Amino acid sequence: MDQYKEEISRVLAPLVLLEQSRVAELLEEPPEPEMGDLAFPCYILASRRKQSPVKVAAELAQSLSGKRGVYWEKAMAQGPYLNFYFDPVVFNQDLLRRIFAEGEDYGKSNRGRGGTVVIDYSSPNICKPFGIGHIRSTVIGHALYLILEAQGYRCIGVNHLGDWGTQFGKMIVAYRRWGDDQQLKEDPVNYLYRLYVRFHREAESEPALEEEARLWFKRLEEGQPEAVDYWKLFRQLSLENYEQIYDLLGIKFDYYHGESHYNDLLDDVIRLVQEKGVATESDGALIVDLEKYGLPPAMLRKKDGATLYLTRDLAAAQYRYNTFNFVKALYVVGAEQKLHFQQMVKILELLGFPWARDCIHIPFGLIRFKEGRMSTREGNMILLEEVLQRSIRLAREIIEEKNPGLKDKESAARAVGLGAVRFGDLSNDRVKDIEFDWDKVLDFTGETAVYIQYAHARICSILRRAGATELTWHDDAADFLTCEEEKKMIKTLAAFPGKIAASAESYRPSILARYLIEVARDFNRFYHSCPVLVDDPELRQARLLLISAVRQVLKNGLALLGIVAPEEM
Ligand code: ARG
């Protein structure tokens, strides 16, 4: 796009008496294709020229009438805008040549220049179910990882496991009383959770359990070997279970640095807040008064000496900065923890860390599963694993029905099932609550992953039928791609790099997700009105090249959302 702006702003600058770079900045992309490809907003000049913007636009159009450049072919006034139209053949050549040359890299950029972004995501709590909030964190965090990486950042994925805290005292007591090795090994996450629930139930009638649990946690904090062994066992078995889910989703973390990882740094945190006079003792507890900043007080140490979630996050932030020297540290965590992160950032600021402002909470809303189709075991517990398995099962049924002859049904079912869950989440603006409806997320005609995957598979099938799996671009093909649907298709493909950049800048994978629906939709429209496998060999070749470029964009885009695009389905 840059050479287009370059040429147009060079022509326009002397006419509007502005610096060329200023003109380039002012050029906008019009909302509709009929309004051209780049527009200059003439109200900028209205007061200086003492003319209405409409008049200015008309005069400028007049002085450019009959002229053209290499990249643009005409300029026309429309209301207060001067619209430039690109030469479609040159534009198509440039873009398609680029897509073919860059292949899997089309869309990427080096904006991040290797700067490090630490992304804290997924972060489930051991002994508690891998709940709904963690589903969203896992999916959104992973997409951000991939998107930022495609922007040239070095991403570090950290799973901030909830692997420390008083609940481990309770777990140890429960396990010693009622625990069973075999059941623990078979299904650790569910089993630990059941024990945890049981502990609370029994503690109602037997309050001494609570005291016992406190004691065990104290032993754990003191490093008493028996307590530590229990903790290690619970942590290890849970982690193995999480890793199966992450494997299924194709997710890896660079570090499993849970809360316990920072245990040795907590004394330093406490010392620092005291030295800097940021915290005050109150009744033996250590508190940071944040009233001046409109925030409630933050506790960093309880009366009994125990530290808190926030204390560990303060340690973790410093550790991350010192270890990775990040340009940004993202926390992909539900909106309900907004206050926690506001307090964390404020305290880091008060401690004088200039990088505090680079710690960014990426909040998201709730997800609700539409009743009926999702059985919830034991109260409201929804496990990510169950959601994924269910989605794969439903996908398998649909594929079985639609395409019983398909060779590799299992991989297709996985791609579609997992894609449905991811896309059902990612296509919504993350801050909104979402209603997850199985019928909707697996609808082949809706705004779904499978709609996009299906467009991709369809293109693969056309290319296979044409025996055109290895295509090379040649510039002459652009002469044939000039009907409206083709022009629109190509313009949409051109928007891809900008959409990735916009997703990265606002930490919103939904921008990319919605864009991919648009690509699939444009393809379907194009395919509906422009048959590909026509007799004219040149036209046929040109259209095969075009759909091959569409395939590349769909594939690259889905990959950035962590979604697989099967070639057949
Ligand atoms: N384990 C926490 C929870 O489930 C999320 C941790 C998020 N990361 C962080 N650094 N606080 O609520």
Side-chain angles (χ1 to χ4, degrees), residues 132-143:
I132 300 167
H134 301 111
I135 298 178
R136 297 212 68 189
S137 175
T138 305
V139 165
I140 297 170
H142 185 224

Side-chain angles (χ1 to χ4, degrees), residues 378-395:
E378 311 208 31
N380 280 324
M381 159 174 162
I382 294 178
L383 291 171
L384 178 55
E385 199 176 355
E386 284 177 13
V387 172
L388 297 177
Q389 294 303 355
R390 167 161 206 130
S391 192
I392 294 172
R393 196 168 60 244
L394 291 172

Side-chain angles (χ1 to χ4, degrees), residues 42 74 77 96 130 154 213 251 256-257 281 327 372 402 405 426 443 461 548 554 566:
C42 295
K74 63 178 179 196
L96 293 169
F130 200 123
R154 175 176 79 117
I251 296 181
Y256 282 94
H257 285 166
E281 300 266 348
V327 296
K402 289 206 186 235
L426 295 174
D443 182 352
S461 133
S548 171
L554 291 174

Side-chain angles (χ1 to χ4, degrees), residues 112-118 153-156 324-329:
R113 293 172 201 285
T116 299
V117 179
V118 175
Y153 289 96
R154 175 176 79 117
C155 291
I156 309 261
F324 305 118
N325 190 22
F326 58 70
V327 296
K328 294 272 185 272

Side-chain angles (χ1 to χ4, degrees), residues 520-537:
R521 195 174 286 147
D522 282 353
F523 165 73
N524 287 334
R525 283 202 192 117
F526 153 79
Y527 190 60
H528 186 73
S529 35
C530 311
V532 173
L533 300 178
V534 289
D535 289 337
D536 176 349

Side-chain angles (χ1 to χ4, degrees), residues 16 81 143 155 221 248 255-256 283 301 341 409-410 499:
V16 299
Y81 285 94
C155 291
E221 292 217 282
L248 185 64
Y255 298 96
Y256 282 94
D283 235 0
R301 197 191 59 210
F341 288 106
K409 278 187 214 141
E410 206 39 48
K499 295 289 178 180

Side-chain angles (χ1 to χ4, degrees), residues 189-258:
V189 178
N190 282 320
Y191 186 61
L192 287 173
Y193 181 60
R194 284 206 294 277
L195 286 177
Y196 188 72
V197 171
R198 176 157 181 196
F199 177 92
H200 285 276
R201 204 171 51 231
E202 308 243 353
E204 275 171 30
S205 50
E206 197 187 341
L209 283 176
E210 296 278 2
E211 184 50 27
E212 209 183 317
R214 226 182 46 76
L215 223 72
W216 273 103
F217 183 57
K218 194 150 183 288
R219 289 188 192 129
L220 182 59
E221 292 217 282
E222 284 161 1
Q224 200 253 16
E226 199 185 355
V228 172
D229 283 347
Y230 279 121
W231 173 78
K232 277 194 182 149
L233 178 72
F234 300 157
R235 185 183 190 276
Q236 185 50 33
L237 291 175
S238 302
L239 205 58
E240 281 168 16
N241 180 277
Y242 297 149
E243 280 184 320
Q244 283 171 16
I245 301 174
Y246 296 139
D247 277 352
L248 185 64
L249 285 167
I251 296 181
K252 288 209 174 24
F253 292 91
D254 299 293
Y255 298 96
Y256 282 94
H257 285 166

Side-chain angles (χ1 to χ4, degrees), residues 120-125 134 137 160-162 259 309 313 316 320 331-333 336-337 340-341 344:
D120 176 324
Y121 68 107
S122 195
S123 309
N125 298 321
H134 301 111
S137 175
H160 192 78
L161 291 172
E259 293 187 40
Y309 179 53
D313 257 329
R320 288 172 192 176
Y331 296 81
V332 187
V333 187
E336 69 284 355
Q337 292 192 29
H340 167 79
F341 288 106
M344 180 192 85

